[in-house]
Each structure stands twice: as C-alpha cells, then as structure tokens.
Amino acid sequence: MHGERRVVSEVVMGEAALDVAALASGRTVDASNGALVHFVGIVRGMEGGVPIWGLDYSSFERMARRQLELLGDAAGRRWPVSAVRIYHRLGRVRAGD
C-alpha cells in the first residue's frame, strides 16, 4: 500500500455527452509517469438477451460524487498513481454511447 494520500484530481458528473478525444487531449503527462490509462464505458444494446434502447442514469449527486472520490482514493492507496479523473454521465444515455 502507498499510504493515505488523496489522488482524485477531478470528478465531473452531468448530462452533457462526453467528448472523449477532447478530455484526453487536454491532459499533460509528466516524465515521472509510466502510463496514461483511459477507460470508457459504453452502454450495451443488449442485456440478458433482451435489446435495450439505453439507460437512464440518476443519482443523489453529492453521495455519488463522494463514492467516486473514494474509488479514486482507493486507487491511490493501492498503486502509485499521480492523478485520477472521473467523468460520469447522468440522464438518458443511448445504447452505443
């Protein structure tokens, strides 16, 4: 374990579509980092063999934001990461988005 440091740099939640390319291009990587990792979730068009149009995400934003911060902090305790940025859509998200 790497101590109790906080690494969450940013948590953004909202209904606007995420521009993944813009988010990635706006980040700088310093020479001390050995990797830059992105995870992009996509809504499946099928769940349990049943087609779906998408998902309708809703949240108690203050609690959801705190939980996302805790996930980022857990990553910082487990691995020597320099930053964690989490972006999460809310509202209606179509299959494939």
Side-chain angles (χ1 to χ4, degrees):
M1 296 292 179
H2 295 281
E4 293 297 318
R5 60 196 181 96
R6 281 191 45 86
V7 297
V8 173
S9 302
E10 188 174 23
V11 173
V12 176
M13 300 172 67
E15 292 192 19
L18 299 175
D19 183 342
V20 177
L23 293 172
S25 70
R27 301 292 171 229
T28 57
V29 179
D30 101 23
S32 68
N33 291 317
L36 177 62
V37 179
H38 293 140
F39 168 80
V40 179
I42 299 170
V43 176
R44 291 186 293 269
M46 183 88 55
E47 181 63 36
V50 178
I52 60 172
W53 63 267
L55 298 173
D56 193 359
Y57 288 108
S58 62
S59 73
F60 175 53
E61 192 169 337
R62 190 172 67 202
M63 182 175 68
R65 180 178 301 279
R66 180 68 183 132
Q67 292 303 310
L68 293 172
E69 289 171 350
L70 290 171
L71 285 172
D73 289 344
R77 285 191 303 277
R78 186 166 181 179
W79 298 289
V81 299
S82 60
V84 174
R85 291 177 178 86
I86 301 171
Y87 303 92
H88 199 293
R89 287 278 305 272
L90 297 173
R92 292 189 172 202
V93 182
R94 295 180 314 211
D97 284 351

